[in-house]
Each structure stands twice: as C-alpha cells, then as structure tokens.
Amino acid sequence: MEVICLETKAFYDLVDKVVKQMKGVEGSNIQDKWVSEKEAMRLLRVTSKTTISQLRNNGDIRFSQPRKKIILYDTDSINEYLEKHAKNTF
C-alpha cells in the first residue's frame, strides 16, 4: 500500500483540475447544433454519402455550407426527420 502526501494547496489545485476536467467530459454530452457529414451519417445510421446527399438535396434535412467544401448539418432537422418517420407500436 502506498501513501501519497500532498500539501493542502497542492491537494486543492489537484481537486480543481479534476473538477474542470470532469466538467469538460460532462459538457461533451451536449450536442452541437451543426455537425459534420460523418456525424450526421452516424445520427441517421446511414453509411452511404449518396443517401445523405439525397436527404440534403430533397430538403429533408437542413444544412449550411459556410465554405465550398464544408457542409454542416442541423441536428434539430435530423431529429425532426427521424421523428417524422417514426412508427408507433401497436
């Protein structure tokens, strides 16, 4: 068994670092409003870029194109699309 001794200040500094790190991990559960194509495909459970292109081009999900090769997808519209296509159980 090992015993580690710390000065009070060092102990509280360590606790502060751990708390900040845990808040960062906890905050990572917050979903971004705009996500990459890869993340949008994961949320929709699709594996084909053609499928996500069709959803985008048909206006089924919202997107933003801040630069020529950057397309971001609106997570709210993805969730709405999934809800719209949800089937009730009997």
Side-chain angles (χ1 to χ4, degrees):
M1 181 172 159
E2 280 187 50
V3 176
I4 300 173
C5 295
L6 295 173
E7 291 179 336
T8 303
K9 184 181 179 330
F11 173 75
Y12 285 113
D13 288 344
L14 179 62
V15 169
D16 285 343
K17 285 182 182 180
V18 170
V19 169
K20 285 178 185 174
Q21 188 173 15
M22 291 305 296
K23 283 182 180 177
V25 170
E26 189 176 77
S28 67
N29 292 334
I30 298 171
Q31 192 175 36
D32 289 335
K33 168 85 170 144
W34 298 96
V35 294
S36 67
E37 179 178 69
K38 185 177 179 180
E39 180 65 11
M41 289 172 64
R42 186 190 69 76
L43 292 170
L44 290 163
R45 310 294 197 274
V46 297
T47 56
S48 168
K49 289 188 176 190
T50 304
T51 302
I52 197 146
S53 287
Q54 288 175 341
L55 292 171
R56 180 181 72 227
N57 295 338
N58 293 340
D60 293 324
I61 56 176
R62 290 182 63 221
F63 70 98
S64 176
Q65 192 168 10
R67 300 223 174 161
K68 187 175 181 179
K69 293 187 178 185
I70 298 174
I71 299 175
L72 300 173
Y73 295 86
D74 181 11
T75 54
D76 293 336
S77 73
I78 290 171
N79 291 331
E80 287 172 16
Y81 176 81
L82 293 172
E83 285 296 323
K84 179 179 159 187
H85 290 88
K87 305 293 182 203
N88 291 327
T89 58
F90 297 102

